[in-house]
Amino acid sequence: MAGTDNGKRNAMSGPQPVMVLVKPQMGENIGASARAMWNFGLDRMRLVAPRDGWPNPKAEAMSSGAGRLLDEATVHDTTADAIADLEYVFATTARDRDLTKEVFTPDEAMKKTRDMIANGQKVGFLFGPERSGLESADVVRANAVVSVPVNPAFGSLNLAQCVLLLAYEWGQDVVPQPDEEFRMSAGELAPSADVGRFVDTLVERLDKVGFFYPENKRDSMIANLENLFRRAPLTPPDIRILHGVTRALAEKVRGRK
Amino acid sequence: MAGTDNGKRNAMSGPQPVMVLVKPQMGENIGASARAMWNFGLDRMRLVAPRDGWPNPKAEAMSSGAGRLLDEATVHDTTADAIADLEYVFATTARDRDLTKEVFTPDEAMKKTRDMIANGQKVGFLFGPERSGLESADVVRANAVVSVPVNPAFGSLNLAQCVLLLAYEWGQDVVPQPDEEFRMSAGELAPSADVGRFVDTLVERLDKVGFFYPENKRDSMIANLENLFRRAPLTPPDIRILHGVTRALAEKVRGRK
C-alpha cells in the first residue's frame, strides 16, 4: 500500500490556493478555519485587518494541531495588498450582489483552481467578516464568485464552515481517497473456489438433515443459498468462520439423533 | 426564473436520509449539527442516548433557525432501536476498523443514498460521540462505512463538521444550484451586435486621435482591441458605460486640440 498515494502526497505539498480571511472578527473562527484548511492539506492563510489584532490567543487555542498555519499567516492592511500577487481571485459570498460576475459552486471553483495552478497561476479565495460577509468593493476586486448552494429557506454557514467546504473540495483531488489507502487494508477477498467449497460443504450438511424439501425445489433452493453467500464480499477468515459455524450446527444436529 | 428549480424544491421536501447522532456529548454540537443539516435541506434527526439528556437548552441555543429539527428529533435508548426501520445504514468513521466493509466517500455515499431513496428504501447515517467516534458494535451493525478523506497528517473533523460535509453532498443534488437560481439573476448579456457597435465607435474615436499607428499594424491592433471586449461577458449597462467613458475621453481630447 505504501506508495500508492505518492502522487497525492506530492500534490499536498505542491502549489495550492491561498485562503484570505478579510477582517475576521472572532479569533475562534480564525483558528477553526486553520483546522478546516489543514484537514484537507491547505496551509496558506492570509489575514486582512483582523478585528482583535494579531497574534490572537483565541485563534491559537482553537487551532490545536494547525497552529503552524497561524504562525505562518501573513497579515495585511487591505484586501488589495493581500491579493496583490495573485492572478485569479474568487470571492465567497452567499448573497446575490447584482454584479455580473461568473458564479461557481465550490466544486467547480476548485476544478478551475487546479487547472490554473497546473498552469503555474496563483489563485486565492476571499472570505468576508462573520457578520456581514465581503464588502462589495472586495467582490468587485475578485475575478469570480464562489457561492455554496444552500437551502433557499435557510442559509447559515459560518466563516469556518465555508472555509471547510472549500477546503474539502480542494481535498477531493489532493487527499488520498479511501480506495487508495483505506479500502485495501480491509483485507483480501476469498477466491471464488473457496466460497464454492463452503457452499458445497453446507449443501452436503443440509442434505443430511433433509433441508431441501420438496425435492423439485432443491436446485432453486441451492441457487438462492449460494447467491446469498456470493452477494456478500467474503474474506478468507469469513469463510473459516462460516465453515466452523455450519460444522458446529451440523454436529449438534447429528448429536441429537 | 421562477419554476426552474421546482424539481429541486420538491426533492427537498421529499424522502431523505435520516441523520442519527449516537451518544452525542455536547448540546452545542447537536445544535450545530441541526443547522448543518438544514442548510442543505435535511431535517430528520434521531438521537441515541444524548449524554446530557433531552431536550438540551445548549442544543437549542446553538440551533437558531433550525430548532424545528430538534423539536422533531426522536430519542432512542440504543442504536439498534434508532435504526430499526432503516433498510440501509452508513456508519461514519475516521478510523480503519479492520472490518471488511465497503467504504464510501461522502460523495459516493450520497449518490448511493439517492439511488436507494429513489427505489423507496429508507437510509440513515450514524455519527459517533465526539470523543471516541462510533463503537465497533455500531459500525458492524451498519451496512457500509463512510469516511471523509482527510490529510493523513491531520484529521480533526468534529461531529458537526462531519454532519456538514455529508449534508453538503446530499445538497449537491437537491439544493438549487447557482446556475438555476442565482447566475441568471445577474442580468442578460448584451447582444453581439451591440458589442460590435461599441467597438466600431471606439475605433472611430481612436482613429480621430491617430491611435492606430503604424498603419500596417492597424488591423491587428483593432482585432486585439475587439477581442478584449469580446472576452469579458458584457451586459447592456456595461455597453452604455463603455460608450459613455469613451465619449467623455474623446471629447476631452477634442477639447484640448
Side-chain angles (χ1 to χ4, degrees), chain A residues 200-220:
Chain A
D200 290 347
T201 310
L202 179 60
V203 167
E204 210 173 285
R205 284 176 174 146
L206 291 171
D207 265 335
K208 282 187 185 149
V209 296
F211 179 81
F212 299 108
Y213 182 87
E215 177 64 25
N216 66 342
K217 292 278 173 65
R218 187 172 189 272
D219 288 351
S220 70

Side-chain angles (χ1 to χ4, degrees), chain A residues 22-23 25 93-95 97 128-136:
Chain A
V22 179
K23 300 185 184 167
Q25 300 176 303
T93 168
R95 294 184 286 122
R97 303 303 187 114
E130 291 89 330
R131 192 176 301 261
S132 51
L134 287 170
E135 291 167 19
S136 284

Side-chain angles (χ1 to χ4, degrees), chain A residues 5 9 12 32 34-36 38-42 63-66 93-108 145 147-158 160-162 164-165 168-169 171-172 175-179 181-183 185-189 233-235 238, chain B residues 5 9 12 32 34-36 38-42 63-66 93-108 145 147-158 160-162 164-165 168-169 171-172 175-179 181-183 185-189 233-235 238:
Chain A
D5 56 8
R9 282 190 200 280
M12 281 189 59
R35 285 176 61 175
W38 190 225
N39 265 304
F40 298 102
L42 292 172
S63 72
S64 57
T93 168
R95 294 184 286 122
D96 183 353
R97 303 303 187 114
D98 219 14
L99 289 167
T100 298
K101 213 175 261 290
E102 205 170 357
V103 179
F104 291 84
T105 62
D107 175 36
E108 296 163 343
V145 162
S147 189
V148 180
V150 289
N151 183 350
F154 184 73
S156 77
L157 292 174
N158 74 24
Q161 286 175 319
C162 191
L164 179 77
L165 292 175
Y168 165 78
E169 287 289 4
Q172 293 284 72
V175 167
Q177 303 289 303
D179 54 352
E181 109 150 359
F182 188 7
R183 284 176 201 187
S185 69
E188 307 270 315
L189 295 182
L234 297 173
T235 61
D238 291 338
Chain B
D5 56 9
R9 283 191 198 278
M12 281 189 60
R35 286 175 59 174
W38 189 224
N39 266 303
F40 298 101
L42 291 171
S63 72
S64 56
T93 167
R95 294 183 285 123
D96 184 352
R97 302 304 185 113
D98 219 16
L99 290 167
T100 299
K101 213 175 261 289
E102 204 170 356
V103 179
F104 292 83
T105 61
D107 175 35
E108 295 164 343
V145 162
S147 189
V148 180
V150 288
N151 182 350
F154 183 74
S156 77
L157 292 175
N158 74 24
Q161 287 175 319
C162 191
L164 179 77
L165 292 175
Y168 165 78
E169 287 289 5
Q172 294 283 74
V175 168
Q177 304 288 304
D179 54 354
E181 109 151 358
F182 189 8
R183 284 177 202 188
S185 69
E188 307 270 314
L189 295 182
L234 297 173
T235 63
D238 291 338

Side-chain angles (χ1 to χ4, degrees), chain A residues 49-71:
Chain A
R51 184 190 66 186
D52 299 336
W54 197 255
N56 180 327
K58 285 182 180 162
E60 278 160 35
M62 185 59 97
S63 72
S64 57
R68 177 175 67 79
L69 276 68
L70 302 183
D71 299 340

